[in-house]
Amino acid sequence: MNKLLSILAMFALIGGSAVAVAGPALVDAPDLPDTLRINQIQVLGTHNSYSQGLDPRVSALFEEKLGKTLDALIDRMPPAARALFEEEHPNPMIPGDMLRYAHPGLAAQLDMGVRSLEIDINPDPAGGLYSSPVAYRMLRDRGVTDLLPFDKTDLDKPGFKVLHIPDIDFRSSCPTLRLCLQQVRTWSDRHPRHVPLFLLIEAKNQDMPTLPNATRTVPFTPALFDDLDRELVEVMGRERMITPDDVRGNHRTLNQAVRAGNWPTLEQARGKVLFMILTANGPGATADYLAGHPSLRGRMAFLRAQPGEDHAAFLMFDNALRRSAEIAQYVQQGYLIRTRSDIETHEAKINSLARANAAFASGAQMVSTDFEVGGNGYGTSYIVRLPGGGVARCRPHARDACGEGQP
């Protein structure tokens, strides 16, 4: 019976749609050993998982305005920030192409086999800050009446709002963090034997005044980070979360625990979620999340770090073509790493899997794409799937733990 359920589950993934199967809950990746540590698996993720894409006229407006200012914005970056930006954005930055992707809803992605999601959050303590995007106001003033739908659910209420770029890239399948988390929790409740979900939360903290009278963002503070932790627990439930305290155990620092391989086993982690916080402009932007919480004691999420820092457990090297050797080295040391299979949609445009292949081969546990489904805006056949199919596999450089030997 278990073999039959596994076959049906695999058929559902290959077919790209969910299949309802009566009986016991399906087990994700049933062939992986229960004793495998969660840093020894690899999953497919999506980038900006909530995004429903831009209305074509907003995209044209974005290209018109940003094309004149992008180089100047990059030139004004401090040297270290610019170097990181250029490494993580190695492809041609053509405004009309950069945001040329869209995803189905979060539950649909999870049904397809995605096991890592990325959600961008923007604080809105008073409510209403993001409910009237400038781009739509400008286009309506020009007489446009058939703009793509914009879900404003709960945007008038205080909370964390989910969008990529204020006034430009704001169409979200879950407009607030609470709504996104509720969708994930509902899906998880229906699939209690799933492999752990790796949820990346980007704390947005930088204005991008591309359009006139642009919305001014609210910076994160220690109090807002406390609010974030409370919301994660309220919606997801502490018992469903794997936190830095869980991994640290009796070790003095989180980094010591990670280097000692103290991650939960796959069996211990089934049905649970890890949250990982990042920003697009360096560690200083999330320093307040660490302040007062050495080694992330008491915090609900892991934090992007540099190797060797006391709180280091989660690293990001988005450019696998440049950083494959470092990724392979650091996953062997116990770190969780996210990398990307495509950047600025360039790989879909030229229909090249070179970056995706490098990303998967590197051993990074999370490989994020903008193209988990076919039918992109370029008309190419580009699509990214986990090698071998399924929802998780033993990552490269850990195959001895699966009884497969090293690649």
Side-chain angles (χ1 to χ4, degrees):
M1 181 61 178
N2 287 339
K3 185 174 182 180
L4 174 60
L5 290 175
S6 300
I7 292 171
L8 289 171
M10 184 62 69
F11 178 78
L13 290 168
I14 293 172
S17 59
V19 174
V21 181
L26 292 179
V27 178
D28 268 2
D31 296 330
L32 292 180
D34 289 340
T35 55
L36 204 64
R37 300 285 175 172
I38 64 172
N39 66 315
Q40 295 175 312
I41 68 173
Q42 186 177 68
V43 301
L44 179 67
T46 50
H47 164 253
N48 293 349
S49 310
Y50 55 86
S51 178
Q52 294 182 316
L54 273 63
D55 184 290
R57 285 139 312 181
V58 174
S59 182
L61 188 63
F62 181 57
E63 182 157 21
E64 171 192 335
K65 299 295 183 181
L66 186 63
K68 301 175 182 178
T69 61
L70 182 58
D71 289 342
L73 288 171
I74 296 173
D75 287 341
R76 288 201 298 268
M77 291 180 178
R82 178 170 180 169
L84 179 63
F85 180 88
E86 290 177 343
E87 176 181 328
E88 295 185 347
H89 301 269
N91 293 325
M93 295 191 69
I94 304 169
D97 289 349
M98 289 163 54
L99 306 178
R100 204 170 177 180
Y101 61 89
H103 299 288
L106 302 186
Q109 293 176 53
L110 293 168
D111 284 340
M112 293 172 191
V114 170
R115 292 296 179 265
S116 177
L117 302 170
E118 182 179 347
I119 300 169
D120 293 350
I121 61 171
N122 302 260
D124 184 9
L129 183 61
Y130 301 101
S131 59
S132 182
V134 171
Y136 270 21
R137 295 206 308 268
M138 291 178 66
L139 290 166
R140 289 190 180 108
D141 288 344
R142 296 179 182 181
V144 178
T145 60
D146 59 344
L147 294 165
L148 290 178
F150 167 43
D151 185 355
K152 297 184 180 182
T153 302
D154 291 344
L155 289 186
D156 59 327
K157 300 176 182 177
F160 296 103
K161 307 304 164 56
V162 175
L163 63 151
H164 184 210
I165 303 173
D167 301 318
I168 296 288
D169 192 5
F170 48 80
R171 297 181 63 246
S172 173
S173 60
C174 45
T176 71
L177 174 62
R178 185 171 293 272
L179 290 169
C180 293
L181 294 175
Q182 287 171 345
Q183 291 178 15
V184 174
R185 175 62 193 257
T186 298
W187 184 91
S188 179
D189 287 343
R190 291 200 297 258
H191 304 81
R193 298 288 290 159
H194 63 74
V195 300
L197 305 180
F198 300 88
L199 268 60
L200 280 66
I201 296 181
E202 181 172 344
K204 306 293 279 190
N205 57 0
Q206 191 173 31
D207 286 334
M208 192 172 182
T210 306
L211 302 180
N213 302 310
T215 300
R216 306 296 295 186
T217 59
V218 176
F220 271 87
T221 63
L224 285 170
F225 278 126
D226 290 344
D227 290 344
L228 172 59
D229 271 0
R230 278 191 292 270
E231 189 157 318
L232 298 180
V233 174
E234 286 173 7
V235 180
M236 197 58 59
R238 175 63 181 86
E239 74 285 355
R240 305 287 286 273
M241 298 166 62
I242 298 171
T243 71
D245 287 344
D246 296 330
V247 175
R248 187 187 308 100
N250 295 323
H251 292 268
R252 185 179 65 84
T253 70
L254 178 60
N255 188 246
Q256 288 179 350
V258 164
R259 298 289 295 271
N262 204 44
W263 292 102
T265 65
L266 180 58
E267 178 61 25
Q268 292 168 335
R270 286 191 180 278
K272 296 187 178 183
V273 175
L274 293 83
F275 291 100
M276 291 155 282
I277 295 176
L278 61 119
T279 67
N281 52 339
T286 52
D288 283 340
Y289 192 75
L290 188 61
H293 299 269
S295 199
L296 293 172
R297 293 183 185 276
R299 283 302 195 188
M300 295 298 105
F302 298 88
L303 189 63
R304 181 182 183 179
Q306 295 299 312
E309 292 183 292
D310 280 355
H311 66 284
F314 161 54
L315 314 178
M316 262 179 52
F317 296 103
D318 278 352
N319 191 341
L321 286 174
R322 177 172 172 179
R323 295 284 192 168
S324 59
E326 290 98 325
I327 294 172
Q329 172 188 347
Y330 289 128
V331 295
Q332 288 295 81
Q333 294 178 11
Y335 293 103
L336 290 180
I337 296 181
R338 196 286 290 268
T339 191
R340 292 177 64 180
S341 58
D342 35 81
I343 300 176
E344 263 80 65
T345 78
H346 179 71
E347 285 72 22
K349 185 176 185 176
I350 66 172
N351 201 22
S352 170
L353 287 170
R355 186 179 300 279
N357 293 337
F360 286 117
S362 73
Q365 292 88 352
M366 297 157 277
V367 177
S368 294
T369 183
D370 285 320
F371 302 96
E372 74 281 14
V373 294
N376 63 65
Y378 300 108
T380 68
S381 60
Y382 184 83
I383 185 172
V384 178
R385 293 195 173 110
L386 189 70
V391 301
R393 68 170 184 163
C394 197
R395 65 165 174 78
H397 316 295
R399 289 179 180 163
D400 54 341
C402 295
E404 301 175 11
Q406 292 297 331

PDB file of all heavy atoms in Angstrom, residues 198-216:
ATOM      1  N   PHE A 198      11.058  25.249   3.906  1.00  0.00           N
ATOM      2  CA  PHE A 198      12.062  26.286   4.149  1.00  0.00           C
ATOM      3  C   PHE A 198      11.480  27.615   3.655  1.00  0.00           C
ATOM      4  O   PHE A 198      11.392  27.844   2.443  1.00  0.00           O
ATOM      5  CB  PHE A 198      13.356  25.959   3.417  1.00  0.00           C
ATOM      6  CG  PHE A 198      13.971  24.644   3.834  1.00  0.00           C
ATOM      7  CD1 PHE A 198      13.616  23.449   3.202  1.00  0.00           C
ATOM      8  CD2 PHE A 198      14.902  24.588   4.858  1.00  0.00           C
ATOM      9  CE1 PHE A 198      14.179  22.235   3.582  1.00  0.00           C
ATOM     10  CE2 PHE A 198      15.477  23.380   5.245  1.00  0.00           C
ATOM     11  CZ  PHE A 198      15.107  22.206   4.611  1.00  0.00           C
ATOM     12  N   LEU A 199      11.061  28.471   4.576  1.00  0.00           N
ATOM     13  CA  LEU A 199      10.406  29.724   4.221  1.00  0.00           C
ATOM     14  C   LEU A 199      11.351  30.893   4.438  1.00  0.00           C
ATOM     15  O   LEU A 199      11.738  31.199   5.571  1.00  0.00           O
ATOM     16  CB  LEU A 199       9.129  29.921   5.048  1.00  0.00           C
ATOM     17  CG  LEU A 199       7.836  29.394   4.401  1.00  0.00           C
ATOM     18  CD1 LEU A 199       7.930  27.900   4.133  1.00  0.00           C
ATOM     19  CD2 LEU A 199       6.635  29.707   5.263  1.00  0.00           C
ATOM     20  N   LEU A 200      11.732  31.533   3.339  1.00  0.00           N
ATOM     21  CA  LEU A 200      12.594  32.704   3.402  1.00  0.00           C
ATOM     22  C   LEU A 200      11.728  33.956   3.506  1.00  0.00           C
ATOM     23  O   LEU A 200      10.755  34.106   2.751  1.00  0.00           O
ATOM     24  CB  LEU A 200      13.472  32.792   2.154  1.00  0.00           C
ATOM     25  CG  LEU A 200      14.721  31.915   2.119  1.00  0.00           C
ATOM     26  CD1 LEU A 200      14.365  30.434   2.077  1.00  0.00           C
ATOM     27  CD2 LEU A 200      15.594  32.274   0.915  1.00  0.00           C
ATOM     28  N   ILE A 201      12.079  34.820   4.430  1.00  0.00           N
ATOM     29  CA  ILE A 201      11.364  36.079   4.599  1.00  0.00           C
ATOM     30  C   ILE A 201      12.345  37.216   4.357  1.00  0.00           C
ATOM     31  O   ILE A 201      13.324  37.372   5.098  1.00  0.00           O
ATOM     32  CB  ILE A 201      10.746  36.195   6.004  1.00  0.00           C
ATOM     33  CG1 ILE A 201       9.683  35.116   6.194  1.00  0.00           C
ATOM     34  CG2 ILE A 201      10.156  37.575   6.222  1.00  0.00           C
ATOM     35  CD1 ILE A 201       8.991  35.153   7.535  1.00  0.00           C
ATOM     36  N   GLU A 202      12.104  37.979   3.291  1.00  0.00           N
ATOM     37  CA  GLU A 202      12.961  39.137   3.037  1.00  0.00           C
ATOM     38  C   GLU A 202      12.359  40.364   3.709  1.00  0.00           C
ATOM     39  O   GLU A 202      11.239  40.768   3.400  1.00  0.00           O
ATOM     40  CB  GLU A 202      13.143  39.395   1.542  1.00  0.00           C
ATOM     41  CG  GLU A 202      14.060  40.582   1.299  1.00  0.00           C
ATOM     42  CD  GLU A 202      14.443  40.790  -0.152  1.00  0.00           C
ATOM     43  OE1 GLU A 202      14.263  39.855  -0.966  1.00  0.00           O
ATOM     44  OE2 GLU A 202      14.918  41.898  -0.466  1.00  0.00           O
ATOM     45  N   ALA A 203      13.116  40.916   4.640  1.00  0.00           N
ATOM     46  CA  ALA A 203      12.686  42.127   5.339  1.00  0.00           C
ATOM     47  C   ALA A 203      13.049  43.324   4.461  1.00  0.00           C
ATOM     48  O   ALA A 203      14.205  43.741   4.417  1.00  0.00           O
ATOM     49  CB  ALA A 203      13.372  42.218   6.699  1.00  0.00           C
ATOM     50  N   LYS A 204      12.085  43.845   3.753  1.00  0.00           N
ATOM     51  CA  LYS A 204      12.330  44.959   2.823  1.00  0.00           C
ATOM     52  C   LYS A 204      12.576  46.240   3.628  1.00  0.00           C
ATOM     53  O   LYS A 204      11.835  46.559   4.545  1.00  0.00           O
ATOM     54  CB  LYS A 204      11.141  45.158   1.885  1.00  0.00           C
ATOM     55  CG  LYS A 204      10.742  43.906   1.126  1.00  0.00           C
ATOM     56  CD  LYS A 204      11.804  43.482   0.123  1.00  0.00           C
ATOM     57  CE  LYS A 204      11.728  44.250  -1.158  1.00  0.00           C
ATOM     58  NZ  LYS A 204      12.604  43.696  -2.216  1.00  0.00           N
ATOM     59  N   ASN A 205      13.612  46.956   3.250  1.00  0.00           N
ATOM     60  CA  ASN A 205      13.991  48.102   4.075  1.00  0.00           C
ATOM     61  C   ASN A 205      14.657  49.213   3.272  1.00  0.00           C
ATOM     62  O   ASN A 205      15.498  49.932   3.781  1.00  0.00           O
ATOM     63  CB  ASN A 205      14.929  47.647   5.201  1.00  0.00           C
ATOM     64  CG  ASN A 205      16.170  46.948   4.673  1.00  0.00           C
ATOM     65  OD1 ASN A 205      16.335  46.793   3.466  1.00  0.00           O
ATOM     66  ND2 ASN A 205      17.047  46.532   5.566  1.00  0.00           N
ATOM     67  N   GLN A 206      14.282  49.325   2.014  1.00  0.00           N
ATOM     68  CA  GLN A 206      14.937  50.318   1.179  1.00  0.00           C
ATOM     69  C   GLN A 206      13.936  50.944   0.220  1.00  0.00           C
ATOM     70  O   GLN A 206      13.203  50.239  -0.485  1.00  0.00           O
ATOM     71  CB  GLN A 206      16.078  49.670   0.386  1.00  0.00           C
ATOM     72  CG  GLN A 206      16.986  50.657  -0.321  1.00  0.00           C
ATOM     73  CD  GLN A 206      18.174  49.956  -0.944  1.00  0.00           C
ATOM     74  OE1 GLN A 206      18.091  48.805  -1.365  1.00  0.00           O
ATOM     75  NE2 GLN A 206      19.302  50.640  -1.011  1.00  0.00           N
ATOM     76  N   ASP A 207      13.890  52.267   0.207  1.00  0.00           N
ATOM     77  CA  ASP A 207      13.028  52.966  -0.741  1.00  0.00           C
ATOM     78  C   ASP A 207      13.578  52.822  -2.157  1.00  0.00           C
ATOM     79  O   ASP A 207      14.792  52.737  -2.363  1.00  0.00           O
ATOM     80  CB  ASP A 207      12.941  54.461  -0.400  1.00  0.00           C
ATOM     81  CG  ASP A 207      12.078  54.728   0.816  1.00  0.00           C
ATOM     82  OD1 ASP A 207      11.185  53.910   1.094  1.00  0.00           O
ATOM     83  OD2 ASP A 207      12.304  55.744   1.490  1.00  0.00           O
ATOM     84  N   MET A 208      12.664  52.784  -3.112  1.00  0.00           N
ATOM     85  CA  MET A 208      13.056  52.773  -4.517  1.00  0.00           C
ATOM     86  C   MET A 208      12.179  53.795  -5.236  1.00  0.00           C
ATOM     87  O   MET A 208      11.182  53.449  -5.868  1.00  0.00           O
ATOM     88  CB  MET A 208      12.877  51.380  -5.126  1.00  0.00           C
ATOM     89  CG  MET A 208      13.521  51.220  -6.485  1.00  0.00           C
ATOM     90  SD  MET A 208      13.465  49.486  -7.023  1.00  0.00           S
ATOM     91  CE  MET A 208      14.348  49.623  -8.590  1.00  0.00           C
ATOM     92  N   PRO A 209      12.544  55.075  -5.123  1.00  0.00           N
ATOM     93  CA  PRO A 209      11.672  56.149  -5.632  1.00  0.00           C
ATOM     94  C   PRO A 209      11.726  56.291  -7.150  1.00  0.00           C
ATOM     95  O   PRO A 209      12.166  57.306  -7.692  1.00  0.00           O
ATOM     96  CB  PRO A 209      12.230  57.384  -4.928  1.00  0.00           C
ATOM     97  CG  PRO A 209      13.682  57.077  -4.735  1.00  0.00           C
ATOM     98  CD  PRO A 209      13.760  55.598  -4.484  1.00  0.00           C
ATOM     99  N   THR A 210      11.272  55.238  -7.839  1.00  0.00           N
ATOM    100  CA  THR A 210      11.311  55.237  -9.298  1.00  0.00           C
ATOM    101  C   THR A 210      10.277  56.182  -9.888  1.00  0.00           C
ATOM    102  O   THR A 210      10.516  56.835 -10.909  1.00  0.00           O
ATOM    103  CB  THR A 210      11.064  53.806  -9.819  1.00  0.00           C
ATOM    104  OG1 THR A 210      11.990  52.929  -9.204  1.00  0.00           O
ATOM    105  CG2 THR A 210      11.222  53.740 -11.320  1.00  0.00           C
ATOM    106  N   LEU A 211       9.110  56.268  -9.251  1.00  0.00           N
ATOM    107  CA  LEU A 211       8.004  57.064  -9.762  1.00  0.00           C
ATOM    108  C   LEU A 211       7.826  58.326  -8.920  1.00  0.00           C
ATOM    109  O   LEU A 211       8.222  58.367  -7.752  1.00  0.00           O
ATOM    110  CB  LEU A 211       6.714  56.235  -9.734  1.00  0.00           C
ATOM    111  CG  LEU A 211       6.739  54.935 -10.529  1.00  0.00           C
ATOM    112  CD1 LEU A 211       5.404  54.213 -10.404  1.00  0.00           C
ATOM    113  CD2 LEU A 211       7.077  55.188 -11.993  1.00  0.00           C
ATOM    114  N   PRO A 212       7.219  59.359  -9.488  1.00  0.00           N
ATOM    115  CA  PRO A 212       6.977  60.579  -8.705  1.00  0.00           C
ATOM    116  C   PRO A 212       6.013  60.301  -7.554  1.00  0.00           C
ATOM    117  O   PRO A 212       5.111  59.479  -7.671  1.00  0.00           O
ATOM    118  CB  PRO A 212       6.356  61.531  -9.731  1.00  0.00           C
ATOM    119  CG  PRO A 212       5.853  60.661 -10.842  1.00  0.00           C
ATOM    120  CD  PRO A 212       6.753  59.483 -10.879  1.00  0.00           C
ATOM    121  N   ASN A 213       6.231  60.988  -6.436  1.00  0.00           N
ATOM    122  CA  ASN A 213       5.399  60.822  -5.242  1.00  0.00           C
ATOM    123  C   ASN A 213       5.371  59.371  -4.772  1.00  0.00           C
ATOM    124  O   ASN A 213       4.328  58.839  -4.375  1.00  0.00           O
ATOM    125  CB  ASN A 213       3.975  61.315  -5.507  1.00  0.00           C
ATOM    126  CG  ASN A 213       3.934  62.768  -5.932  1.00  0.00           C
ATOM    127  OD1 ASN A 213       4.531  63.626  -5.284  1.00  0.00           O
ATOM    128  ND2 ASN A 213       3.245  63.054  -7.042  1.00  0.00           N
ATOM    129  N   ALA A 214       6.531  58.744  -4.832  1.00  0.00           N
ATOM    130  CA  ALA A 214       6.635  57.329  -4.483  1.00  0.00           C
ATOM    131  C   ALA A 214       6.321  57.096  -3.009  1.00  0.00           C
ATOM    132  O   ALA A 214       6.538  57.959  -2.158  1.00  0.00           O
ATOM    133  CB  ALA A 214       8.036  56.814  -4.799  1.00  0.00           C
ATOM    134  N   THR A 215       5.827  55.899  -2.711  1.00  0.00           N
ATOM    135  CA  THR A 215       5.533  55.512  -1.340  1.00  0.00           C
ATOM    136  C   THR A 215       6.829  55.399  -0.548  1.00  0.00           C
ATOM    137  O   THR A 215       7.802  54.811  -1.018  1.00  0.00           O
ATOM    138  CB  THR A 215       4.805  54.148  -1.316  1.00  0.00           C
ATOM    139  OG1 THR A 215       3.589  54.268  -2.061  1.00  0.00           O
ATOM    140  CG2 THR A 215       4.496  53.714   0.111  1.00  0.00           C
ATOM    141  N   ARG A 216       6.846  55.967   0.641  1.00  0.00           N
ATOM    142  CA  ARG A 216       8.002  55.896   1.522  1.00  0.00           C
ATOM    143  C   ARG A 216       7.842  54.709   2.463  1.00  0.00           C
ATOM    144  O   ARG A 216       6.840  54.592   3.161  1.00  0.00           O
ATOM    145  CB  ARG A 216       8.151  57.184   2.334  1.00  0.00           C
ATOM    146  CG  ARG A 216       8.181  58.460   1.495  1.00  0.00           C
ATOM    147  CD  ARG A 216       9.374  58.538   0.562  1.00  0.00           C
ATOM    148  NE  ARG A 216      10.640  58.615   1.272  1.00  0.00           N
ATOM    149  CZ  ARG A 216      11.812  58.805   0.677  1.00  0.00           C
ATOM    150  NH1 ARG A 216      11.870  58.907  -0.657  1.00  0.00           N
ATOM    151  NH2 ARG A 216      12.926  58.869   1.374  1.00  0.00           N
TER     152      ARG A 216
END
